[in-house]
Amino acid sequence: MSARSETKRLSVPDIRARKGGTPLVALTAYSALTARLVDAHADILLVGDSLAMVEHGMDTTLGATLDMMILHGQSVMRGSARALVVVDLPFGTYEESPQAAFRSAARVLSETGCSAVKLEGGAGMAETIGFLAARGIPVMAHIGLTPQSVMTLGGFRTQGRERAEWDRIEADARAVAEAGAFAVVVEGVVEPLAERITTALSVPTIGIGASARCDGQILVLEDMLGFNARVPRFVRRFGEVGAAIDKAVGDYAEAVRERSFPGPDHVYQPKD
């Protein structure tokens, strides 16, 4: 039996139990390749609808489809063995009713084998979260800056700049947690409010552009690796892989044009 097959994947109860403990490490992953690279280090791999922008070149996440999410979710599951895999429900696949959300989530879980789904929205989605949780579908909630609502928000705007907004945002967080979400992503929320929400909830908070006091952190993998020249303020670039790829491809192109590649070690000769 391979070491990979012996690896025990983290479960939803494992993640929930990390509340107030060692911070959870979460990253996006969209393919088997990236999943293999980060699986040993991450507790959660999110197949985010951000793949619409990162992988498919769209301007927003709104173009992601359920079939697209399932395809990438299957790939990430094949490439990972340890991390809990969560797949986003894309725009238009869950907002209509709890029943519509159940049909979408059931497809995601059954066709990918992932452990949970994530959906955006606060108190307005509490009924849906409760409906899913009661039917055996683990849900990660997402409040604060919700990219699927970018048209309503008027762009990717930090939430809670005005203290008058704090009670509403905290109420959203409490509502989704009380409805049954096992964790809550807190995105683009001012630091003191994110810390207050983390203290108030009995389930882990996963921050992105929020606070180091959250119970975990998530970033888009390609952002933190330096693939993109422009990234949000909350991203720390932990590597410059994009620049390394650019140099490698440039060196390859130069070698091809000057006919130094392929060389004697890269071609085959007849036996006689």
Side-chain angles (χ1 to χ4, degrees):
M1 184 178 291
S2 69
R4 177 182 169 79
S5 64
E6 294 173 352
T7 301
K8 185 178 185 296
R9 193 180 291 276
L10 291 170
S11 68
V12 167
D14 291 332
I15 299 302
R16 190 187 292 116
R18 294 275 289 276
K19 174 68 181 180
T22 303
L24 292 157
V25 176
L27 283 167
T28 61
Y30 313 123
S31 69
L33 172 62
T34 54
R36 279 195 297 270
L37 290 172
V38 303
D39 185 52
H41 306 283
D43 302 305
I44 300 169
L45 294 181
L46 172 66
V47 185
D49 59 1
S50 50
L51 64 83
M53 302 170 72
V54 177
E55 294 289 320
H56 296 275
M58 300 180 190
D59 291 331
T60 70
T61 65
L62 301 181
T65 66
L66 195 61
D67 286 342
M68 189 185 295
M69 301 307 303
I70 289 170
L71 180 66
H72 286 271
Q74 291 168 339
S75 184
V76 169
M77 284 298 295
R78 287 192 289 266
S80 64
R82 175 186 175 275
L84 181 94
V85 176
V86 181
V87 177
D88 265 343
L89 294 183
F91 177 73
T93 65
Y94 64 93
E95 298 92 338
E96 181 182 1
S97 67
Q99 291 77 13
F102 178 82
R103 289 191 291 273
S104 297
R107 272 198 67 195
V108 169
L109 264 64
S110 64
E111 295 181 34
T112 68
C114 73
S115 297
V117 297
K118 181 172 76 65
L119 57 80
E120 295 183 8
M125 282 292 115
E127 180 186 358
T128 294
I129 292 170
F131 188 89
L132 296 180
R135 286 157 179 78
I137 296 181
V139 180
M140 176 180 284
H142 184 156
I143 61 100
L145 195 170
T146 48
Q148 291 178 11
S149 302
V150 64
M151 300 301 183
T152 302
L153 296 174
F156 296 97
R157 298 179 181 276
T158 303
Q159 302 296 294
R161 292 282 196 188
E162 303 294 332
R163 287 185 179 268
E165 302 173 332
W166 285 24
D167 287 346
R168 174 184 58 80
I169 298 170
E170 183 177 346
D172 279 340
R174 288 180 181 273
V176 296
E178 291 169 3
F182 72 89
V184 180
V185 172
V186 180
E187 178 171 0
V189 170
V190 293
E191 184 177 24
L193 176 57
E195 184 172 350
R196 189 170 104 175
I197 288 171
T198 298
T199 301
L201 299 190
S202 61
V203 299
T205 57
I206 312 296
I208 176 167
S211 169
R213 304 306 301 173
C214 288
D215 297 297
Q217 302 295 327
I218 186 167
L219 286 176
V220 171
L221 180 67
E222 287 76 4
D223 285 348
M224 57 87 74
L225 289 179
F227 276 78
N228 302 310
R230 295 182 61 186
V231 295
R233 171 181 172 172
F234 57 73
V235 174
R236 175 177 168 186
R237 292 163 72 124
F238 286 84
E240 294 298 337
V241 178
I245 291 175
D246 180 68
K247 182 181 185 307
V249 174
D251 290 347
Y252 163 72
E254 182 180 358
V256 169
R257 291 176 182 131
E258 65 183 18
R259 298 187 186 277
S260 64
F261 176 82
D265 294 338
H266 310 117
V267 294
Y268 302 93
Q269 300 298 337
K271 290 183 178 180
D272 55 357

